[in-house]
Amino acid sequence: MTATQDAFRPDAGPSSPDEEERLAAVRRYRILDSAPDGAFDRIASLAARIFDAPMATVTIVDSDRVWFKAAHGLKDMSETSRAAGLCATAIRHSGPYVIHDTRADPRATVHPLVRSRPAVRFYAAAAITTADGHRLGTVNVLDTRPRHPTPNQLGALEDLAALVMDELEVRLATLRTVAAERERRTDAERLARTLQRTLLPPALPLVPGLDAAAAYHPASVDEVGGDFYDLFPLDDGRWAFFLGDVCGKGADAAALTSLTRYTLRAAAIYDPDPCTALANLDTVLKGEYQGSTPRFCTAVFGVLDALADGSFAVTLAGGGHPPALALRADGTVEAISTTGGQLIGLLPDPHFVATTTRLAPGDALLLYTDGLSEARTGSGAMLGEDGLARHLSEHPAQGADALLAMLHTLFTDLGTGVSDDTALLALSVPLPVPLGTDDRPVQENR
């Protein structure tokens, strides 16, 4: 339910127990007065684009001020007084908070952005809420004319606030992990493994009618790689997934990996079309590294749509990435080619290629990074895409978990022939279980 200017209750003062707990949560995330950050700037920019509005912000409500983590369309604005209202009022609401016309709300007229330039007339906000219910701040959209937003726009605003919270959780987890590791040991191997885990989802979600499994095979135990993958739901009941590889190693690659994964998730909220998602990532990478050494990646982005017969329609787009492999129930292996898709973040006007396929019961789809196809066999020859397809056809495996187990054996056999990190994502449609039996294996995400 949308809160409007008619819904009001007194602000919880700084001395109230609830407010003290909320402020403790704000301090816990160590976000106040932090340096500008492209991830949050993009959230504000995307909010403005969704509403077709000139201004949007990501704000944190402190004890006596509202601090701007990101401000799209507002120059030289870093904070306002909490007593001025708007954000401080919005955090008291669990759903979207909307003021259609600030001139009709006496509390809004005292805000600096309302009573002077840019003379805000419309305000909408969604709270950035922790898992334990504390509202740290808001994602806000502002306009100089009265507005009546659509339910879809307000839903997207809530999604963006949830993305801000996800990013804060990831960063806090990384800070805590690094601090704990530094206290226990300075061993490079432990630290690299810990940081690598923060760049990958801890577990894949359960997709009805689909088995999913993922694995990461590092080539080095003391250096962070740049391979990534993810699987997540879309608002329309479909599921999105991606896998890719950024250039380089170490801290720079880790930063690029985090940016890439976060951007693809955010892009899918705005438009889940696979080619559009890759194009948005290309724009972000060019903007983030403008004037510096170009940073680029390869990726495959896909959307899964469950069909009534138990199969899945798959739409894939590729940007300079090896083809996905479809392992059919009859034992054949088919390359799902996106040939012609170009590197992301490097070329002036890259081209991305989309294709479609169908996963029927008994079929599986394998996505991998080139650490696998470029590995050397015992003879010194590169395994290659053809060699990988041949190995899969000669060693059939039923289901996502069995497929990754078989590939783990392949990595073991290749040994020192593997010189680069490899990420694997397997999606399989299980065969129907005969009536009266339930012998499907339990899904495990590696």
Side-chain angles (χ1 to χ4, degrees), residues 207-286:
V207 181
L210 189 79
D211 289 336
Y216 189 86
H217 291 266
S220 172
V221 296
D222 59 2
E223 191 171 35
V224 181
D227 296 24
F228 58 89
Y229 59 82
D230 210 342
L231 171 66
F232 54 96
L234 299 172
D235 289 341
D236 58 8
R238 297 182 298 167
W239 291 78
F241 61 93
F242 56 78
L243 177 140
D245 184 8
V246 307
C247 64
K249 297 284 186 184
D252 289 343
L256 181 58
T257 299
S258 179
L259 170 63
T260 298
R261 182 169 170 257
Y262 184 77
T263 298
L264 284 176
R265 269 197 168 238
I269 293 177
Y270 182 68
D271 188 342
D273 173 76
C275 281
T276 302
L278 296 183
N280 283 332
L281 174 60
D282 178 76
T283 300
V284 167
L285 293 187
K286 289 174 181 174

Side-chain angles (χ1 to χ4, degrees), residues 68-355:
F68 290 51
K69 177 59 180 172
H72 174 84
L74 291 169
K75 292 183 178 179
D76 303 322
M77 196 76 179
S78 61
E79 63 182 62
T80 62
S81 168
R82 174 170 174 168
L86 292 185
C87 299
T89 303
I91 63 167
R92 302 199 300 271
H93 300 276
S94 58
Y97 177 77
V98 179
I99 299 178
H100 302 293
D101 187 350
T102 57
R103 292 182 182 176
D105 188 327
R107 294 162 300 154
T109 56
V110 302
H111 197 281
L113 295 178
V114 175
R115 69 171 185 256
S116 59
R117 295 185 66 181
V120 169
R121 293 286 301 278
F122 165 79
Y123 173 78
I128 303 165
T129 308
T130 66
D132 53 355
H134 296 299
R135 296 169 194 142
L136 308 180
T138 50
V139 177
N140 316 278
V141 176
L142 308 94
D143 204 341
T144 55
R145 58 190 175 91
R147 296 278 299 272
H148 283 79
T150 67
N152 284 343
Q153 287 174 321
L154 293 176
L157 192 61
E158 288 186 291
D159 288 337
L160 292 176
L163 277 175
V164 171
M165 193 66 249
D166 288 345
E167 181 69 7
L168 292 178
E169 291 287 4
V170 168
R171 293 176 183 217
L172 179 59
T174 301
L175 287 172
R176 286 175 170 172
T177 299
V178 172
E181 287 298 313
R182 284 175 176 169
E183 288 177 1
R184 289 195 294 265
R185 60 173 69 188
T186 58
D187 182 80
E189 177 182 342
R190 272 298 281 279
L191 185 57
R193 287 180 176 177
T194 302
L195 289 173
Q196 188 72 65
R197 286 195 296 269
T198 69
L199 302 176
L200 301 171
L204 297 180
L206 295 175
V207 181
L210 189 79
D211 289 336
Y216 189 86
H217 291 266
S220 172
V221 296
D222 59 2
E223 191 171 35
V224 181
D227 296 24
F228 58 89
Y229 59 82
D230 210 342
L231 171 66
F232 54 96
L234 299 172
D235 289 341
D236 58 8
R238 297 182 298 167
W239 291 78
F241 61 93
F242 56 78
L243 177 140
D245 184 8
V246 307
C247 64
K249 297 284 186 184
D252 289 343
L256 181 58
T257 299
S258 179
L259 170 63
T260 298
R261 182 169 170 257
Y262 184 77
T263 298
L264 284 176
R265 269 197 168 238
I269 293 177
Y270 182 68
D271 188 342
D273 173 76
C275 281
T276 302
L278 296 183
N280 283 332
L281 174 60
D282 178 76
T283 300
V284 167
L285 293 187
K286 289 174 181 174
E288 186 73 11
Y289 295 99
Q290 185 176 15
S292 61
T293 302
R295 305 291 289 176
F296 59 90
C297 70
T298 69
V300 174
F301 187 100
V303 174
L304 294 160
D305 192 0
L307 304 179
D309 63 357
S311 61
F312 282 80
V314 184
T315 303
L316 281 174
H321 200 80
L325 295 175
L327 288 69
R328 303 302 183 185
D330 62 4
T332 59
V333 177
E334 174 188 353
I336 309 301
S337 177
T338 53
T339 300
Q342 295 175 319
L343 291 173
I344 304 165
L346 184 64
L347 303 176
D349 187 21
H351 178 63
F352 304 116
V353 174
T355 189

